[in-house]
Amino acid sequence: MSHGTADPREPDVLVHTEGRAGFLTLNRPRAINALTHAMVRALDEALTAWEHDPAVETVVIRGAGERGLCAGGDIRAIHDDARAGCTATPAFWRDEYRLNARIARYPKPYVAFMDGIVMGGGVGVSAHGSVRIVTERSRVAMPETGIGFVPDVGGTHLLGRAPGELGTHLALTGTPAGAADAILTGLADHFVPAADLPELADALTRLPAAEAVARFARPVPPGELAARRPWIDACYAADTVEGIVERLSDSGVPEAKETASVLLGRSPTALKAALEAVRRARRLDDLEAALTMEYRLSCAALASPDLVEGIRAQVVDKDRDPRWTPATLAEVTEQDTARWFAPRAAGELDLTTG
């Protein structure tokens, strides 16, 4: 779904109203609309302006260009900040997570066009909305363990509520979910063919959100996770990451064995923290509690060697050969993992205002 190429003089978030709808267009197409701190602030300001504006009945978020809604936070900026002393990124996360919580409780229909790539922070600005649209091009993922990080932006809350162990599988592997699998796991609600999104956007300017979406929603093409659920549920029910890898390797199912290899390429520390986080999120009362936990985890990751190394390997040097520290699951102790969840002396996430 193209909204033209970005003019360098244009803002990174285009904000406009048409009819009864307010449109938020993430406008960094060359970076697959990766979120910066300024973009988070711009989104929050627009939501503030529209919350009590009777002329705006529906909010729509979408991405400029053809590649996707949003590839996540600007991890190059996070990498540079981590190397420089970690001052800017905690402030970015604080505002980003507050925005995620705000989207979840927004009093008007919040329609997310989750077309193309929707990863990490992109999930945070879409999957907490009240009306979440996926297309045949959607690739929805929380791929954080591949860069030494953990699912954040409320990802543990969302994945913790997926059926069986499907959310655990997505959290640990970072596997992208297509349209059917995003709907199955609770990350999305409706399937609309990508070619129909411009017409749906037009309908939202004239009709109530539920009525407009009902006109364009179609049966979703089959996905992959439903058929894989028996081995996913059995293998990911193990108590530890080591136990999960062992069950996957020994299951006799080729896809399960491949999944074991995928996990062994991820950051061992991040895998253990992610498993614990998804399991804790299931027991937490609400999204706000999960975001507060995730803020501790994110700040712990920022201070650990794996995040800088993971971003270096995947994004900066692109050698795809991260050197994790510690290098193996066996070397990551329960105490190591527990430290990531400890309260922060430098300040907790405050979700009571804004």
Side-chain angles (χ1 to χ4, degrees):
M1 162 190 73
S2 175
H3 303 287
T5 27
D7 184 317
R9 293 160 299 186
E10 283 184 341
D12 288 344
V13 178
L14 305 179
V15 179
H16 81 281
T17 58
E18 186 179 338
R20 61 169 72 206
F23 289 90
L24 300 168
T25 305
L26 306 181
N27 191 41
R28 293 182 70 212
R30 288 183 180 174
I32 319 181
N33 304 312
L35 290 174
T36 64
H37 201 159
M39 290 167 73
V40 166
R41 289 197 196 99
L43 292 172
D44 190 63
E45 284 166 16
L47 293 180
T48 298
W50 291 339
E51 185 162 350
H52 302 294
D53 182 349
V56 177
E57 296 178 30
T58 299
V59 174
V60 182
I61 189 165
R62 58 192 180 177
E66 295 290 341
R67 295 165 71 194
L69 171 66
C70 175
D74 188 340
I75 59 175
R76 250 179 206 278
I78 293 169
H79 172 270
D80 294 346
D81 184 52
R83 295 185 67 190
C86 310
T87 52
T89 302
F92 164 65
W93 283 329
R94 192 177 288 268
D95 286 346
E96 183 184 25
Y97 299 175
R98 285 173 62 162
L99 175 66
N100 303 146
R102 180 176 201 173
I103 289 167
R105 60 172 185 258
Y106 204 65
K108 299 180 178 185
Y110 181 100
V111 183
F113 286 7
M114 299 172 71
D115 185 35
I117 290 171
V118 186
M119 295 187 177
V123 173
V125 296
S126 59
H128 299 300
S130 51
V131 185
R132 304 162 303 171
I133 309 290
V134 280
T135 75
E136 72 279 5
R137 306 192 302 197
S138 294
R139 295 293 177 269
V140 185
M142 299 298 297
E144 286 78 9
T145 59
I147 57 164
F149 196 50
V150 286
D152 67 333
V153 299
T156 63
H157 174 81
L158 293 164
L159 295 174
R161 279 155 181 71
E165 295 292 341
L166 295 180
T168 314
H169 171 66
L170 295 181
L172 297 193
T173 61
T175 302
D181 292 338
I183 292 171
L184 172 63
T185 52
L187 298 171
D189 305 301
H190 306 283
F191 173 77
V192 174
D196 291 347
L197 291 180
E199 283 184 73
L200 172 56
D202 180 63
L204 288 164
T205 69
R206 294 177 280 103
L207 300 170
E211 191 180 328
V213 171
R215 288 191 180 189
F216 290 92
R218 299 285 178 268
V220 63
E224 299 173 347
L225 288 181
R228 295 177 180 179
R229 190 168 161 196
W231 64 259
I232 288 175
D233 284 0
C235 295
Y236 285 90
D239 291 337
T240 63
V241 179
E242 290 95 327
I244 291 168
V245 170
E246 189 175 336
R247 288 190 188 186
L248 289 166
S249 300
D250 295 347
S251 70
V253 179
E255 292 110 317
K257 201 163 183 133
E258 287 165 25
T259 301
S261 300
V262 169
L263 290 177
L264 291 172
R266 303 292 187 251
S267 158
T269 304
L271 284 175
K272 291 201 172 183
L275 178 63
E276 178 67 17
V278 170
R279 290 184 170 168
R280 288 194 187 201
R282 286 178 182 155
R283 304 191 295 269
L284 295 174
D285 292 336
D286 52 26
L287 171 62
E288 278 85 353
L291 286 164
T292 300
M293 173 186 73
E294 289 171 359
Y295 187 69
R296 294 176 180 176
L297 292 168
S298 298
C299 292
L302 192 63
S304 80
D306 277 5
L307 180 58
V308 168
E309 172 61 8
I311 298 173
R312 179 207 65 73
Q314 298 295 341
V315 179
V316 181
D317 298 337
K318 295 189 169 80
D319 59 28
R320 307 280 191 268
D321 186 26
R323 306 274 191 230
W324 304 122
T325 309
T328 66
L329 289 164
E331 292 172 89
V332 183
T333 67
E334 283 184 30
Q335 290 79 8
D336 292 335
T337 306
R339 274 196 290 273
W340 282 46
F341 292 84
R344 294 190 72 244
E348 300 280 20
L349 180 65
D350 178 14
L351 292 165
T352 56
T353 59

